[in-house]
Amino acid sequence: MTFKPRRNQYASTPTYVEIETTIMCNATCWFCPQKNTLRTPKYMEDWVWKKIIDDTRGIDAVYRPFLLNEPFADKRMPAIVEYIKQDSTAKVEFNTNASMLTPKVTDKLIRTGVDVMRFSIDGFYRSTFDESRGISYDKVYEHVQYFLQQAKQADYPIQTEVRMIKLPGTDAEQKEFEAYWQEFEPDNIIFTDLYSYPWEGQTGPTNVPCLKIEKELFFYVDGTATLCCWDSTGRQLIGDVKTENALDIWNGQEMSRCRSLLDAGERDKLELCSRCDAYDQVDFSEWQGFDYAAYKKQHGGKSKRVIPIEPKAYEIS
């Protein structure tokens, strides 16, 4: 069945709260803009991340203490999770490359309470992994295995997932990746498409509605809030938690303006979104307030992206 969204349903509180507690990452993934990000400070001040959490307590939020970074590059992370978990309604999710998720950190997290752990591994062959990640293959595989083993022994459910990006030329490798990780029984083994962040090769607006903004609230390391996690350079700021309440930002004037434009498919009127092609293949024919037939007639559903050729290992002849 084809997915045909009809309208974003904006609640008075976000479902997900994402907090960039540090801008640091030890990986060198060629497909990620993190290496070109110059935000400061390197680590979010303690009072700022605590304020974000305090502002959003009691709303059944799922906290993701990371954004464009490796969460466990922040040595405070077990303490941050413990602070979040003072709220009995809160859940905590992570996406990690696992290189810094040592057994000691794993044990602390499981004692404190982590609900979802996703591992971005992106290679079964050492050569693929080394080129795409630039971190220790052996440490990553050891750390992921240890976490999966400990998660199964926890006295509460922890959802686990291992992921690999579907890089060109890795079809056979993906099958071996899946067979290998099945032995360790994660809840999910996922293969994701490689995508580009906005302003990375797109040559014009893809004027369709956006689904990304419906449930998520994002904070940079300096406390400013951005419209989208794909905003790697701060093109679309919507507030600053250092001077505003987090929920006031969520329900604020700037967020409302952005929602109205994006619900109408007017990405060209927002700087960030004017070079974003996310959801360009989604069927918006049943979306309220957007003429999808006219869009298809004008654009033919084609993405306005120039895809760069990356490392030679991934070129297809």
Side-chain angles (χ1 to χ4, degrees):
M1 178 180 289
T2 302
F3 173 54
K4 296 181 179 181
R6 295 187 173 183
R7 192 71 174 175
N8 283 332
Q9 301 295 324
Y10 301 112
S12 60
T13 58
T15 301
Y16 302 96
V17 179
E18 304 196 21
I19 310 171
E20 188 180 67
T21 70
T22 177
I23 193 58
M24 306 300 289
C25 184
N26 60 327
T28 57
C29 310
W30 58 262
F31 44 78
C32 178
Q34 191 277 338
K35 56 187 175 294
N36 298 319
T37 302
L38 303 175
R39 283 193 290 277
T40 58
K42 289 184 178 180
Y43 296 91
M44 181 178 279
E45 295 175 89
D46 286 339
W47 75 270
V48 177
W49 63 259
K50 286 180 179 179
K51 182 179 184 300
I52 294 169
I53 295 165
D54 291 342
D55 284 353
T56 52
R57 287 200 186 280
I59 65 170
D60 297 305
V62 178
Y63 292 87
R64 294 168 173 167
F66 61 92
L67 196 56
L68 196 65
N69 64 291
E70 165 52 41
F72 300 109
D74 192 336
K75 303 301 182 185
R76 303 170 297 176
M77 195 51 66
I80 293 171
V81 173
E82 186 174 11
Y83 194 79
I84 292 171
K85 283 293 186 171
Q86 291 177 14
D87 176 2
S88 61
T89 74
K91 290 183 169 58
V92 179
E93 294 186 357
F94 285 104
N95 286 22
T96 177
N97 65 38
S99 64
M100 305 176 84
L101 185 63
T102 64
K104 183 178 180 180
V105 174
T106 286
D107 293 344
K108 286 182 179 179
L109 288 173
I110 290 178
R111 284 197 302 269
T112 304
V114 60
D115 299 280
V116 179
M117 187 68 75
R118 300 185 183 93
F119 300 104
S120 300
I121 301 177
D122 299 332
F124 181 63
Y125 302 158
R126 189 181 294 268
S127 57
T128 303
F129 181 92
D130 288 347
E131 189 165 8
S132 65
R133 287 275 159 184
I135 51 180
S136 171
Y137 177 97
D138 294 326
K139 281 186 179 180
V140 167
Y141 271 68
E142 289 170 9
H143 292 171
V144 175
Q145 290 168 19
Y146 182 81
F147 188 96
L148 293 175
Q149 291 163 357
Q150 298 307 114
K152 285 188 290 187
Q153 298 173 27
D155 57 5
Y156 64 94
I158 302 174
Q159 183 179 339
T160 56
E161 182 176 293
V162 294
R163 293 180 166 195
M164 179 177 173
I165 293 175
K166 293 186 285 188
L167 296 169
T170 62
D171 290 354
E173 183 175 353
Q174 290 169 35
K175 294 177 182 178
E176 294 183 60
F177 180 95
E178 183 174 20
Y180 177 87
W181 285 111
Q182 281 176 342
E183 297 294 320
F184 296 91
E185 300 180 327
D187 292 299
N188 296 296
I189 301 172
I190 302 293
F191 297 93
T192 62
D193 292 322
L194 181 64
Y195 64 90
S196 292
Y197 281 70
W199 293 86
E200 292 195 345
Q202 298 90 339
T203 59
T206 301
N207 281 329
V208 296
C210 177
L211 307 178
K212 189 65 177 172
I213 61 169
E214 182 180 15
K215 298 179 179 181
E216 301 174 71
L217 180 58
F218 311 96
F219 292 98
Y220 286 147
V221 71
D222 63 358
T224 54
T226 178
L227 178 66
C228 180
C229 61
W230 297 327
D231 184 2
S232 61
T233 58
R235 284 187 166 94
Q236 211 68 52
L237 300 182
I238 57 171
D240 189 337
V241 80
K242 297 191 299 297
T243 57
E244 302 170 78
N245 182 281
L247 295 183
D248 288 343
I249 295 172
W250 176 254
N251 293 301
Q253 212 169 38
E254 182 60 15
M255 178 66 98
S256 179
R257 183 182 76 89
C258 293
R259 287 171 176 165
S260 295
L261 291 171
L262 292 174
D263 284 350
E266 297 179 2
R267 296 190 187 188
D268 55 314
K269 295 182 179 178
L270 295 171
E271 182 185 1
L272 171 69
C273 311
S274 68
R275 294 296 183 274
C276 176
D277 53 16
Y279 309 114
D280 62 339
Q281 300 302 313
V282 172
D283 184 342
F284 286 102
S285 59
E286 296 184 9
W287 188 271
Q288 300 171 22
F290 176 67
D291 191 341
Y292 186 59
Y295 169 79
K296 291 283 285 186
K297 183 177 181 179
Q298 182 178 359
H299 300 287
K302 295 181 180 178
S303 173
K304 297 177 179 62
R305 181 194 302 174
V306 178
I307 300 177
I309 296 176
E310 288 293 351
K312 292 183 179 180
Y314 308 130
E315 291 183 16
I316 303 176
S317 57

